[in-house]
Amino acid sequence: MSDQLFPDEPARAARDAYQVLARKYRPQSFDDLIGHEAMVKTLRNAFAAGRIAHAYVLTGVRGVGKTTTARILARALNYVGPNGDDNGPTIDMTAEGRHCRAIAESRHPDVLEMDAASRTGVGDIRELIEGVRYAPIEARYKVYIIDEVHMLSTAAFNALLKTLEEPPPHVKFIFATTEIRKLPVTVLSRCQRFDLRRIDPDVLTDHLAAIAEKEGADLDREALAMIARAAEGSVRDALSILDQALVQTAATGEKLGPEAIRAMLGLADRTQVWPLLEAALSGDAKTALDLFAEQYKAGADPAVILRDMLEVTHL
């Protein structure tokens, strides 16, 4: 009876199972991370020397990989080979280990993720601290990942300080934040800090090209570079825009060029920046305003036009 009532149920299930690119291509090891070579090198040296900190803080703008890096770091701290071979914490996770999948899917009992944006109070931190004294159930370390840690209240930070200064040997803390200046100095001084920088546009363009190829999409290199610039160094933003572009190319079956991306994002035509800047600098207000109005009517964001002019001036 259900087959007759819901004849398209399998098709609907297939549609619901679609994963956005940002999740589908989320890095699973340090080798997959792009643009953070300095951090990986530091961690590799620290792990090799056995000088593993008890607390880390990862900071950077949205979408550069803070939470992803935290999960990969949790995997590295608790890595045990697929056959049970245990050589201690390691950055080189050549094969999926015993705890890797559970940690990556946020369901490991010893790796606890907490979103400080929704659990800001001192009661939440006290609940966390209560569990710190107990040994891990399965893994080598108990790892506490606190996302958007700057959202914690002052009382919550104060409650955390003593545990953060002298944690049990089986506990590691990993904090992620977009607002490093909002963290108390007393917390920062107890953590090893890594600044995750914006991804270079060329590196991001290469990354997008590789993903587009895997997805079987035909995108112009200049169009990919335009997506990378629009994302402003955020991998997640870039993949979200690429997702949107792939929908367009799938619908039309045509190669997607810069014009299509510009129309999709409402970007300024960069070829018009030079005459606009020339008119502005020469004092030709009428021509400058006319050129500006043309781009505005085409859907360009005025702030983007001004930013492009500033970039040209800087160059």
PDB file of all heavy atoms in Angstrom, residues 78-115:
ATOM      1  N   ASN A  78      44.438  10.666  19.409  1.00  0.00           N
ATOM      2  CA  ASN A  78      43.906   9.353  19.800  1.00  0.00           C
ATOM      3  C   ASN A  78      44.116   8.279  18.735  1.00  0.00           C
ATOM      4  O   ASN A  78      43.447   7.251  18.767  1.00  0.00           O
ATOM      5  CB  ASN A  78      42.394   9.481  20.088  1.00  0.00           C
ATOM      6  CG  ASN A  78      42.122  10.172  21.410  1.00  0.00           C
ATOM      7  OD1 ASN A  78      42.799   9.920  22.394  1.00  0.00           O
ATOM      8  ND2 ASN A  78      41.143  11.062  21.425  1.00  0.00           N
ATOM      9  N   TYR A  79      45.041   8.520  17.821  1.00  0.00           N
ATOM     10  CA  TYR A  79      45.181   7.590  16.695  1.00  0.00           C
ATOM     11  C   TYR A  79      45.694   6.218  17.129  1.00  0.00           C
ATOM     12  O   TYR A  79      46.715   6.087  17.799  1.00  0.00           O
ATOM     13  CB  TYR A  79      46.117   8.164  15.638  1.00  0.00           C
ATOM     14  CG  TYR A  79      46.168   7.307  14.384  1.00  0.00           C
ATOM     15  CD1 TYR A  79      45.119   7.330  13.478  1.00  0.00           C
ATOM     16  CD2 TYR A  79      47.247   6.465  14.138  1.00  0.00           C
ATOM     17  CE1 TYR A  79      45.142   6.540  12.337  1.00  0.00           C
ATOM     18  CE2 TYR A  79      47.282   5.668  13.002  1.00  0.00           C
ATOM     19  CZ  TYR A  79      46.231   5.714  12.106  1.00  0.00           C
ATOM     20  OH  TYR A  79      46.244   4.922  10.983  1.00  0.00           O
ATOM     21  N   VAL A  80      44.936   5.215  16.738  1.00  0.00           N
ATOM     22  CA  VAL A  80      45.319   3.807  16.876  1.00  0.00           C
ATOM     23  C   VAL A  80      45.043   3.173  15.522  1.00  0.00           C
ATOM     24  O   VAL A  80      43.971   3.354  14.946  1.00  0.00           O
ATOM     25  CB  VAL A  80      44.503   3.096  17.977  1.00  0.00           C
ATOM     26  CG1 VAL A  80      44.844   1.609  18.027  1.00  0.00           C
ATOM     27  CG2 VAL A  80      44.743   3.746  19.333  1.00  0.00           C
ATOM     28  N   GLY A  81      46.003   2.447  14.983  1.00  0.00           N
ATOM     29  CA  GLY A  81      45.876   1.870  13.649  1.00  0.00           C
ATOM     30  C   GLY A  81      44.686   0.942  13.506  1.00  0.00           C
ATOM     31  O   GLY A  81      44.139   0.460  14.505  1.00  0.00           O
ATOM     32  N   PRO A  82      44.289   0.646  12.268  1.00  0.00           N
ATOM     33  CA  PRO A  82      43.125  -0.219  12.035  1.00  0.00           C
ATOM     34  C   PRO A  82      43.299  -1.632  12.587  1.00  0.00           C
ATOM     35  O   PRO A  82      42.335  -2.311  12.896  1.00  0.00           O
ATOM     36  CB  PRO A  82      42.988  -0.237  10.505  1.00  0.00           C
ATOM     37  CG  PRO A  82      44.313   0.225   9.984  1.00  0.00           C
ATOM     38  CD  PRO A  82      44.890   1.127  11.019  1.00  0.00           C
ATOM     39  N   ASN A  83      44.556  -2.050  12.732  1.00  0.00           N
ATOM     40  CA  ASN A  83      44.834  -3.396  13.262  1.00  0.00           C
ATOM     41  C   ASN A  83      45.153  -3.375  14.750  1.00  0.00           C
ATOM     42  O   ASN A  83      45.617  -4.375  15.306  1.00  0.00           O
ATOM     43  CB  ASN A  83      46.005  -4.030  12.492  1.00  0.00           C
ATOM     44  CG  ASN A  83      45.703  -4.174  11.012  1.00  0.00           C
ATOM     45  OD1 ASN A  83      44.586  -4.526  10.641  1.00  0.00           O
ATOM     46  ND2 ASN A  83      46.691  -3.883  10.173  1.00  0.00           N
ATOM     47  N   GLY A  84      44.951  -2.223  15.383  1.00  0.00           N
ATOM     48  CA  GLY A  84      45.208  -2.115  16.821  1.00  0.00           C
ATOM     49  C   GLY A  84      46.624  -1.717  17.158  1.00  0.00           C
ATOM     50  O   GLY A  84      46.981  -1.640  18.342  1.00  0.00           O
ATOM     51  N   ASP A  85      47.467  -1.442  16.158  1.00  0.00           N
ATOM     52  CA  ASP A  85      48.847  -1.032  16.429  1.00  0.00           C
ATOM     53  C   ASP A  85      48.861   0.387  16.981  1.00  0.00           C
ATOM     54  O   ASP A  85      48.380   1.320  16.350  1.00  0.00           O
ATOM     55  CB  ASP A  85      49.703  -1.145  15.166  1.00  0.00           C
ATOM     56  CG  ASP A  85      49.010  -0.579  13.929  1.00  0.00           C
ATOM     57  OD1 ASP A  85      47.789  -0.775  13.811  1.00  0.00           O
ATOM     58  OD2 ASP A  85      49.687   0.076  13.115  1.00  0.00           O
ATOM     59  N   ASP A  86      49.423   0.538  18.180  1.00  0.00           N
ATOM     60  CA  ASP A  86      49.393   1.803  18.913  1.00  0.00           C
ATOM     61  C   ASP A  86      50.818   2.306  19.119  1.00  0.00           C
ATOM     62  O   ASP A  86      51.556   1.799  19.964  1.00  0.00           O
ATOM     63  CB  ASP A  86      48.685   1.614  20.257  1.00  0.00           C
ATOM     64  CG  ASP A  86      48.478   2.930  20.987  1.00  0.00           C
ATOM     65  OD1 ASP A  86      48.965   3.960  20.496  1.00  0.00           O
ATOM     66  OD2 ASP A  86      47.825   2.924  22.043  1.00  0.00           O
ATOM     67  N   ASN A  87      51.192   3.326  18.329  1.00  0.00           N
ATOM     68  CA  ASN A  87      52.526   3.933  18.454  1.00  0.00           C
ATOM     69  C   ASN A  87      52.459   5.330  19.047  1.00  0.00           C
ATOM     70  O   ASN A  87      53.376   6.134  18.875  1.00  0.00           O
ATOM     71  CB  ASN A  87      53.206   3.984  17.079  1.00  0.00           C
ATOM     72  CG  ASN A  87      53.419   2.600  16.493  1.00  0.00           C
ATOM     73  OD1 ASN A  87      53.867   1.697  17.194  1.00  0.00           O
ATOM     74  ND2 ASN A  87      53.075   2.420  15.226  1.00  0.00           N
ATOM     75  N   GLY A  88      51.354   5.620  19.713  1.00  0.00           N
ATOM     76  CA  GLY A  88      51.183   6.925  20.333  1.00  0.00           C
ATOM     77  C   GLY A  88      50.598   7.950  19.376  1.00  0.00           C
ATOM     78  O   GLY A  88      50.327   7.641  18.210  1.00  0.00           O
ATOM     79  N   PRO A  89      50.386   9.184  19.844  1.00  0.00           N
ATOM     80  CA  PRO A  89      49.822  10.237  18.988  1.00  0.00           C
ATOM     81  C   PRO A  89      50.687  10.465  17.751  1.00  0.00           C
ATOM     82  O   PRO A  89      51.919  10.429  17.840  1.00  0.00           O
ATOM     83  CB  PRO A  89      49.837  11.470  19.898  1.00  0.00           C
ATOM     84  CG  PRO A  89      49.865  10.927  21.283  1.00  0.00           C
ATOM     85  CD  PRO A  89      50.649   9.658  21.214  1.00  0.00           C
ATOM     86  N   THR A  90      50.066  10.682  16.621  1.00  0.00           N
ATOM     87  CA  THR A  90      50.806  10.901  15.380  1.00  0.00           C
ATOM     88  C   THR A  90      50.031  11.781  14.413  1.00  0.00           C
ATOM     89  O   THR A  90      48.800  11.729  14.363  1.00  0.00           O
ATOM     90  CB  THR A  90      51.131   9.556  14.699  1.00  0.00           C
ATOM     91  OG1 THR A  90      51.824   9.820  13.461  1.00  0.00           O
ATOM     92  CG2 THR A  90      49.876   8.755  14.380  1.00  0.00           C
ATOM     93  N   ILE A  91      50.776  12.586  13.672  1.00  0.00           N
ATOM     94  CA  ILE A  91      50.182  13.436  12.638  1.00  0.00           C
ATOM     95  C   ILE A  91      49.924  12.630  11.368  1.00  0.00           C
ATOM     96  O   ILE A  91      49.009  12.912  10.607  1.00  0.00           O
ATOM     97  CB  ILE A  91      51.132  14.622  12.320  1.00  0.00           C
ATOM     98  CG1 ILE A  91      51.220  15.573  13.516  1.00  0.00           C
ATOM     99  CG2 ILE A  91      50.676  15.387  11.091  1.00  0.00           C
ATOM    100  CD1 ILE A  91      49.948  16.314  13.837  1.00  0.00           C
ATOM    101  N   ASP A  92      50.747  11.613  11.139  1.00  0.00           N
ATOM    102  CA  ASP A  92      50.669  10.810   9.906  1.00  0.00           C
ATOM    103  C   ASP A  92      49.660   9.684  10.070  1.00  0.00           C
ATOM    104  O   ASP A  92      50.000   8.586  10.534  1.00  0.00           O
ATOM    105  CB  ASP A  92      52.050  10.252   9.551  1.00  0.00           C
ATOM    106  CG  ASP A  92      53.072  11.356   9.357  1.00  0.00           C
ATOM    107  OD1 ASP A  92      52.797  12.263   8.553  1.00  0.00           O
ATOM    108  OD2 ASP A  92      54.126  11.316  10.020  1.00  0.00           O
ATOM    109  N   MET A  93      48.432   9.956   9.689  1.00  0.00           N
ATOM    110  CA  MET A  93      47.361   8.950   9.775  1.00  0.00           C
ATOM    111  C   MET A  93      47.140   8.375   8.377  1.00  0.00           C
ATOM    112  O   MET A  93      46.262   8.806   7.639  1.00  0.00           O
ATOM    113  CB  MET A  93      46.092   9.598  10.344  1.00  0.00           C
ATOM    114  CG  MET A  93      46.281  10.132  11.753  1.00  0.00           C
ATOM    115  SD  MET A  93      44.862  11.045  12.387  1.00  0.00           S
ATOM    116  CE  MET A  93      45.078  12.624  11.550  1.00  0.00           C
ATOM    117  N   THR A  94      47.979   7.412   8.030  1.00  0.00           N
ATOM    118  CA  THR A  94      47.981   6.876   6.663  1.00  0.00           C
ATOM    119  C   THR A  94      46.717   6.085   6.346  1.00  0.00           C
ATOM    120  O   THR A  94      46.281   6.020   5.205  1.00  0.00           O
ATOM    121  CB  THR A  94      49.210   5.979   6.458  1.00  0.00           C
ATOM    122  OG1 THR A  94      49.269   5.017   7.527  1.00  0.00           O
ATOM    123  CG2 THR A  94      50.491   6.812   6.484  1.00  0.00           C
ATOM    124  N   ALA A  95      46.138   5.449   7.350  1.00  0.00           N
ATOM    125  CA  ALA A  95      44.906   4.672   7.149  1.00  0.00           C
ATOM    126  C   ALA A  95      43.892   5.080   8.205  1.00  0.00           C
ATOM    127  O   ALA A  95      44.245   5.639   9.247  1.00  0.00           O
ATOM    128  CB  ALA A  95      45.202   3.179   7.242  1.00  0.00           C
ATOM    129  N   GLU A  96      42.618   4.796   7.934  1.00  0.00           N
ATOM    130  CA  GLU A  96      41.573   5.131   8.905  1.00  0.00           C
ATOM    131  C   GLU A  96      41.748   4.275  10.151  1.00  0.00           C
ATOM    132  O   GLU A  96      41.706   3.051  10.105  1.00  0.00           O
ATOM    133  CB  GLU A  96      40.198   4.889   8.293  1.00  0.00           C
ATOM    134  CG  GLU A  96      39.059   5.334   9.206  1.00  0.00           C
ATOM    135  CD  GLU A  96      37.694   5.116   8.580  1.00  0.00           C
ATOM    136  OE1 GLU A  96      37.351   5.849   7.632  1.00  0.00           O
ATOM    137  OE2 GLU A  96      36.978   4.198   9.026  1.00  0.00           O
ATOM    138  N   GLY A  97      41.981   4.932  11.283  1.00  0.00           N
ATOM    139  CA  GLY A  97      42.238   4.226  12.532  1.00  0.00           C
ATOM    140  C   GLY A  97      40.966   3.761  13.229  1.00  0.00           C
ATOM    141  O   GLY A  97      39.851   3.968  12.742  1.00  0.00           O
ATOM    142  N   ARG A  98      41.180   3.166  14.387  1.00  0.00           N
ATOM    143  CA  ARG A  98      40.078   2.568  15.141  1.00  0.00           C
ATOM    144  C   ARG A  98      39.053   3.608  15.592  1.00  0.00           C
ATOM    145  O   ARG A  98      37.860   3.337  15.649  1.00  0.00           O
ATOM    146  CB  ARG A  98      40.657   1.832  16.345  1.00  0.00           C
ATOM    147  CG  ARG A  98      39.658   1.104  17.184  1.00  0.00           C
ATOM    148  CD  ARG A  98      40.334   0.139  18.135  1.00  0.00           C
ATOM    149  NE  ARG A  98      40.888  -1.014  17.415  1.00  0.00           N
ATOM    150  CZ  ARG A  98      41.517  -2.023  18.019  1.00  0.00           C
ATOM    151  NH1 ARG A  98      41.702  -2.009  19.321  1.00  0.00           N
ATOM    152  NH2 ARG A  98      41.981  -3.033  17.316  1.00  0.00           N
ATOM    153  N   HIS A  99      39.521   4.818  15.925  1.00  0.00           N
ATOM    154  CA  HIS A  99      38.609   5.853  16.449  1.00  0.00           C
ATOM    155  C   HIS A  99      38.269   6.936  15.426  1.00  0.00           C
ATOM    156  O   HIS A  99      37.453   7.805  15.710  1.00  0.00           O
ATOM    157  CB  HIS A  99      39.233   6.531  17.680  1.00  0.00           C
ATOM    158  CG  HIS A  99      39.663   5.579  18.748  1.00  0.00           C
ATOM    159  ND1 HIS A  99      38.775   4.809  19.455  1.00  0.00           N
ATOM    160  CD2 HIS A  99      40.901   5.258  19.219  1.00  0.00           C
ATOM    161  CE1 HIS A  99      39.437   4.052  20.330  1.00  0.00           C
ATOM    162  NE2 HIS A  99      40.728   4.316  20.204  1.00  0.00           N
ATOM    163  N   CYS A 100      38.895   6.882  14.261  1.00  0.00           N
ATOM    164  CA  CYS A 100      38.820   8.002  13.298  1.00  0.00           C
ATOM    165  C   CYS A 100      37.399   8.336  12.846  1.00  0.00           C
ATOM    166  O   CYS A 100      36.978   9.489  12.882  1.00  0.00           O
ATOM    167  CB  CYS A 100      39.702   7.706  12.093  1.00  0.00           C
ATOM    168  SG  CYS A 100      41.475   7.779  12.481  1.00  0.00           S
ATOM    169  N   ARG A 101      36.672   7.333  12.408  1.00  0.00           N
ATOM    170  CA  ARG A 101      35.344   7.602  11.857  1.00  0.00           C
ATOM    171  C   ARG A 101      34.396   8.174  12.918  1.00  0.00           C
ATOM    172  O   ARG A 101      33.650   9.123  12.661  1.00  0.00           O
ATOM    173  CB  ARG A 101      34.753   6.329  11.247  1.00  0.00           C
ATOM    174  CG  ARG A 101      33.423   6.567  10.520  1.00  0.00           C
ATOM    175  CD  ARG A 101      32.954   5.311   9.817  1.00  0.00           C
ATOM    176  NE  ARG A 101      33.841   4.942   8.733  1.00  0.00           N
ATOM    177  CZ  ARG A 101      33.763   5.447   7.502  1.00  0.00           C
ATOM    178  NH1 ARG A 101      32.833   6.335   7.211  1.00  0.00           N
ATOM    179  NH2 ARG A 101      34.602   5.058   6.567  1.00  0.00           N
ATOM    180  N   ALA A 102      34.438   7.605  14.116  1.00  0.00           N
ATOM    181  CA  ALA A 102      33.553   8.084  15.180  1.00  0.00           C
ATOM    182  C   ALA A 102      33.863   9.530  15.552  1.00  0.00           C
ATOM    183  O   ALA A 102      32.956  10.334  15.793  1.00  0.00           O
ATOM    184  CB  ALA A 102      33.680   7.178  16.402  1.00  0.00           C
ATOM    185  N   ILE A 103      35.153   9.885  15.570  1.00  0.00           N
ATOM    186  CA  ILE A 103      35.537  11.266  15.890  1.00  0.00           C
ATOM    187  C   ILE A 103      35.100  12.209  14.778  1.00  0.00           C
ATOM    188  O   ILE A 103      34.557  13.286  15.032  1.00  0.00           O
ATOM    189  CB  ILE A 103      37.057  11.368  16.128  1.00  0.00           C
ATOM    190  CG1 ILE A 103      37.455  10.601  17.395  1.00  0.00           C
ATOM    191  CG2 ILE A 103      37.492  12.828  16.249  1.00  0.00           C
ATOM    192  CD1 ILE A 103      38.947  10.503  17.629  1.00  0.00           C
ATOM    193  N   ALA A 104      35.317  11.804  13.520  1.00  0.00           N
ATOM    194  CA  ALA A 104      34.945  12.634  12.372  1.00  0.00           C
ATOM    195  C   ALA A 104      33.445  12.884  12.325  1.00  0.00           C
ATOM    196  O   ALA A 104      32.989  13.944  11.893  1.00  0.00           O
ATOM    197  CB  ALA A 104      35.413  11.980  11.079  1.00  0.00           C
ATOM    198  N   GLU A 105      32.661  11.898  12.806  1.00  0.00           N
ATOM    199  CA  GLU A 105      31.205  12.019  12.789  1.00  0.00           C
ATOM    200  C   GLU A 105      30.636  12.539  14.104  1.00  0.00           C
ATOM    201  O   GLU A 105      29.434  12.485  14.338  1.00  0.00           O
ATOM    202  CB  GLU A 105      30.586  10.653  12.441  1.00  0.00           C
ATOM    203  CG  GLU A 105      30.923  10.194  11.022  1.00  0.00           C
ATOM    204  CD  GLU A 105      30.421   8.792  10.720  1.00  0.00           C
ATOM    205  OE1 GLU A 105      29.885   8.128  11.656  1.00  0.00           O
ATOM    206  OE2 GLU A 105      30.567   8.344   9.568  1.00  0.00           O
ATOM    207  N   SER A 106      31.527  13.004  14.987  1.00  0.00           N
ATOM    208  CA  SER A 106      31.135  13.622  16.275  1.00  0.00           C
ATOM    209  C   SER A 106      30.306  12.691  17.160  1.00  0.00           C
ATOM    210  O   SER A 106      29.353  13.125  17.793  1.00  0.00           O
ATOM    211  CB  SER A 106      30.364  14.926  16.027  1.00  0.00           C
ATOM    212  OG  SER A 106      31.091  15.798  15.221  1.00  0.00           O
ATOM    213  N   ARG A 107      30.662  11.410  17.204  1.00  0.00           N
ATOM    214  CA  ARG A 107      29.909  10.475  18.047  1.00  0.00           C
ATOM    215  C   ARG A 107      30.819   9.613  18.918  1.00  0.00           C
ATOM    216  O   ARG A 107      30.408   8.572  19.415  1.00  0.00           O
ATOM    217  CB  ARG A 107      29.019   9.595  17.164  1.00  0.00           C
ATOM    218  CG  ARG A 107      29.727   8.842  16.053  1.00  0.00           C
ATOM    219  CD  ARG A 107      28.787   7.982  15.226  1.00  0.00           C
ATOM    220  NE  ARG A 107      29.453   7.340  14.101  1.00  0.00           N
ATOM    221  CZ  ARG A 107      30.180   6.231  14.178  1.00  0.00           C
ATOM    222  NH1 ARG A 107      30.351   5.641  15.348  1.00  0.00           N
ATOM    223  NH2 ARG A 107      30.743   5.713  13.095  1.00  0.00           N
ATOM    224  N   HIS A 108      32.067  10.064  19.097  1.00  0.00           N
ATOM    225  CA  HIS A 108      32.981   9.299  19.953  1.00  0.00           C
ATOM    226  C   HIS A 108      32.760   9.700  21.411  1.00  0.00           C
ATOM    227  O   HIS A 108      32.668  10.887  21.725  1.00  0.00           O
ATOM    228  CB  HIS A 108      34.436   9.560  19.555  1.00  0.00           C
ATOM    229  CG  HIS A 108      35.398   8.550  20.089  1.00  0.00           C
ATOM    230  ND1 HIS A 108      35.791   8.525  21.411  1.00  0.00           N
ATOM    231  CD2 HIS A 108      36.028   7.500  19.494  1.00  0.00           C
ATOM    232  CE1 HIS A 108      36.645   7.520  21.600  1.00  0.00           C
ATOM    233  NE2 HIS A 108      36.794   6.883  20.446  1.00  0.00           N
ATOM    234  N   PRO A 109      32.675   8.715  22.324  1.00  0.00           N
ATOM    235  CA  PRO A 109      32.374   9.055  23.730  1.00  0.00           C
ATOM    236  C   PRO A 109      33.468   9.849  24.440  1.00  0.00           C
ATOM    237  O   PRO A 109      33.195  10.498  25.451  1.00  0.00           O
ATOM    238  CB  PRO A 109      32.201   7.673  24.388  1.00  0.00           C
ATOM    239  CG  PRO A 109      32.927   6.717  23.493  1.00  0.00           C
ATOM    240  CD  PRO A 109      32.777   7.268  22.114  1.00  0.00           C
ATOM    241  N   ASP A 110      34.699   9.813  23.910  1.00  0.00           N
ATOM    242  CA  ASP A 110      35.803  10.512  24.576  1.00  0.00           C
ATOM    243  C   ASP A 110      36.172  11.836  23.909  1.00  0.00           C
ATOM    244  O   ASP A 110      37.069  12.526  24.375  1.00  0.00           O
ATOM    245  CB  ASP A 110      37.045   9.607  24.628  1.00  0.00           C
ATOM    246  CG  ASP A 110      36.824   8.383  25.493  1.00  0.00           C
ATOM    247  OD1 ASP A 110      36.173   8.529  26.549  1.00  0.00           O
ATOM    248  OD2 ASP A 110      37.272   7.288  25.110  1.00  0.00           O
ATOM    249  N   VAL A 111      35.528  12.154  22.807  1.00  0.00           N
ATOM    250  CA  VAL A 111      35.760  13.446  22.145  1.00  0.00           C
ATOM    251  C   VAL A 111      34.449  14.216  22.193  1.00  0.00           C
ATOM    252  O   VAL A 111      33.504  13.919  21.474  1.00  0.00           O
ATOM    253  CB  VAL A 111      36.242  13.255  20.691  1.00  0.00           C
ATOM    254  CG1 VAL A 111      36.432  14.614  20.020  1.00  0.00           C
ATOM    255  CG2 VAL A 111      37.536  12.465  20.659  1.00  0.00           C
ATOM    256  N   LEU A 112      34.395  15.192  23.076  1.00  0.00           N
ATOM    257  CA  LEU A 112      33.144  15.898  23.356  1.00  0.00           C
ATOM    258  C   LEU A 112      33.186  17.297  22.738  1.00  0.00           C
ATOM    259  O   LEU A 112      34.082  18.090  23.034  1.00  0.00           O
ATOM    260  CB  LEU A 112      32.936  16.005  24.869  1.00  0.00           C
ATOM    261  CG  LEU A 112      33.044  14.650  25.618  1.00  0.00           C
ATOM    262  CD1 LEU A 112      33.015  14.862  27.109  1.00  0.00           C
ATOM    263  CD2 LEU A 112      31.914  13.730  25.194  1.00  0.00           C
ATOM    264  N   GLU A 113      32.242  17.569  21.857  1.00  0.00           N
ATOM    265  CA  GLU A 113      32.137  18.881  21.211  1.00  0.00           C
ATOM    266  C   GLU A 113      31.049  19.708  21.878  1.00  0.00           C
ATOM    267  O   GLU A 113      29.956  19.217  22.123  1.00  0.00           O
ATOM    268  CB  GLU A 113      31.831  18.727  19.719  1.00  0.00           C
ATOM    269  CG  GLU A 113      32.976  18.146  18.916  1.00  0.00           C
ATOM    270  CD  GLU A 113      32.739  18.225  17.419  1.00  0.00           C
ATOM    271  OE1 GLU A 113      32.132  19.218  16.964  1.00  0.00           O
ATOM    272  OE2 GLU A 113      33.147  17.296  16.708  1.00  0.00           O
ATOM    273  N   MET A 114      31.385  20.956  22.144  1.00  0.00           N
ATOM    274  CA  MET A 114      30.428  21.851  22.792  1.00  0.00           C
ATOM    275  C   MET A 114      30.406  23.172  22.030  1.00  0.00           C
ATOM    276  O   MET A 114      31.453  23.720  21.691  1.00  0.00           O
ATOM    277  CB  MET A 114      30.849  22.084  24.245  1.00  0.00           C
ATOM    278  CG  MET A 114      30.054  23.150  24.978  1.00  0.00           C
ATOM    279  SD  MET A 114      30.648  23.343  26.665  1.00  0.00           S
ATOM    280  CE  MET A 114      30.102  25.004  27.024  1.00  0.00           C
ATOM    281  N   ASP A 115      29.220  23.659  21.738  1.00  0.00           N
ATOM    282  CA  ASP A 115      29.062  24.940  21.067  1.00  0.00           C
ATOM    283  C   ASP A 115      28.826  26.010  22.126  1.00  0.00           C
ATOM    284  O   ASP A 115      27.747  26.078  22.718  1.00  0.00           O
ATOM    285  CB  ASP A 115      27.884  24.874  20.080  1.00  0.00           C
ATOM    286  CG  ASP A 115      27.676  26.200  19.353  1.00  0.00           C
ATOM    287  OD1 ASP A 115      28.617  27.017  19.356  1.00  0.00           O
ATOM    288  OD2 ASP A 115      26.584  26.419  18.808  1.00  0.00           O
TER     289      ASP A 115
END
